[in-house]
Amino acid sequence: PRYAEIRRQYQDYLADLLRMAGREGAEASAAAVIGLETRLADAQWSQVQLRDVEKSYNPYAVADADRLMPGFDWQAWLAAAGLPEPERLIISQPSYFEALAAMLEETPLVTWKDYLRVRRIDDYAPLLSRAFVQRHFEFNEGVLTGAIELRPRWKRALQQVEFVMAEVLGQAYVERHFPPAATRRMDELVANLLRAFGESIDELEWMGTDTRG
């Protein structure tokens, strides 16, 4: 119950995104999306259940996955993702996929389209026009985290560059500031540390020989 107001504001946020994107009947569409997202959330396992490694390790052949989730073409999905068909899939939450199969059957296609539409708009809102940027900030940072001021544009731009190019920038940084000689020094340092730890362990009288090994 303490999240009721946040849920209300979330629905208003989704309706605003859809409306700004030109969706007619944005309020009704947002309400339908909230209903679908609630069903998706209810079907998911709890954090406690997910920590059970054995329970969440469920190998399925693709044919068995088809039977688990009828109405979903796994072969088409794998092909569209550019993935070869594997010998097996690991499905951590089988009951979720069973529930999802029912949702695919029962939920109108227009609701799925609105769900995917609003998720995409929300993802790209920080990169769109001022109205989208501001509305995204008001809910995602204002309502959810309590932020009161949108960060300067240059800081947001820098974060976006780091997000999409972190690996490439890291490689350029290493080439400029971490030459091979520095790598050798670090390798030597780590080797010395391991040697020192080994010597200190060998001197522990309370530790047995098998443990030291």
Side-chain angles (χ1 to χ4, degrees), residues 121 155 157 186-187 196-197 207:
I121 298 170
K155 288 187 177 181
M186 290 306 300
D187 287 341
F197 279 126
M207 186 178 289

Side-chain angles (χ1 to χ4, degrees), residues 99-197:
L100 184 56
M103 290 181 230
L104 289 172
E105 180 69 23
E106 299 163 2
T107 304
L109 180 59
V110 66
T111 301
W112 284 107
K113 288 183 175 180
D114 281 334
Y115 166 72
L116 296 173
R117 179 181 291 114
V118 80
R119 294 271 55 85
R120 178 59 59 89
I121 298 170
D122 179 58
D123 286 343
Y124 283 92
L127 309 177
L128 299 177
S129 64
R130 185 184 300 274
F132 283 97
V133 171
Q134 184 63 33
R135 192 66 184 92
H136 182 274
F137 166 77
E138 289 171 357
F139 179 76
N140 288 280
E141 297 184 50
V143 173
L144 296 184
T145 69
I148 59 176
E149 184 177 354
L150 183 64
R151 290 180 303 157
R153 186 176 182 180
W154 71 267
K155 288 187 177 181
R156 289 180 278 128
L158 185 62
Q159 181 186 33
Q160 182 65 19
V161 171
E162 183 177 359
F163 175 72
V164 300
M165 299 183 63
E167 186 70 23
V168 175
L169 292 174
Q171 292 175 1
Y173 180 87
V174 168
E175 290 177 0
R176 177 177 296 182
H177 300 289
F178 203 72
T183 303
R184 288 192 295 272
R185 287 198 302 271
M186 290 306 300
D187 287 341
E188 183 179 352
L189 172 63
V190 171
N192 288 336
L193 285 172
L194 292 174
R195 190 179 302 109
F197 279 126

Side-chain angles (χ1 to χ4, degrees), residues 6-38 40 111 113-123 125 132 135-136 138-140 143-144:
I6 292 178
R7 286 196 294 269
R8 184 193 66 76
Q9 294 190 54
Y10 176 56
Q11 183 167 325
D12 291 342
Y13 169 65
L14 297 187
D16 286 343
L17 291 185
L18 290 168
R19 187 182 304 105
M20 290 189 292
R23 180 75 167 95
E24 295 183 2
E27 289 79 6
S29 296
V33 169
I34 291 287
L36 175 58
E37 289 188 338
T38 301
L40 290 169
T111 301
K113 288 183 175 180
D114 281 334
Y115 166 72
L116 296 173
R117 179 181 291 114
V118 80
R119 294 271 55 85
R120 178 59 59 89
I121 298 170
D122 179 58
D123 286 343
F132 283 97
R135 192 66 184 92
H136 182 274
E138 289 171 357
F139 179 76
N140 288 280
V143 173
L144 296 184

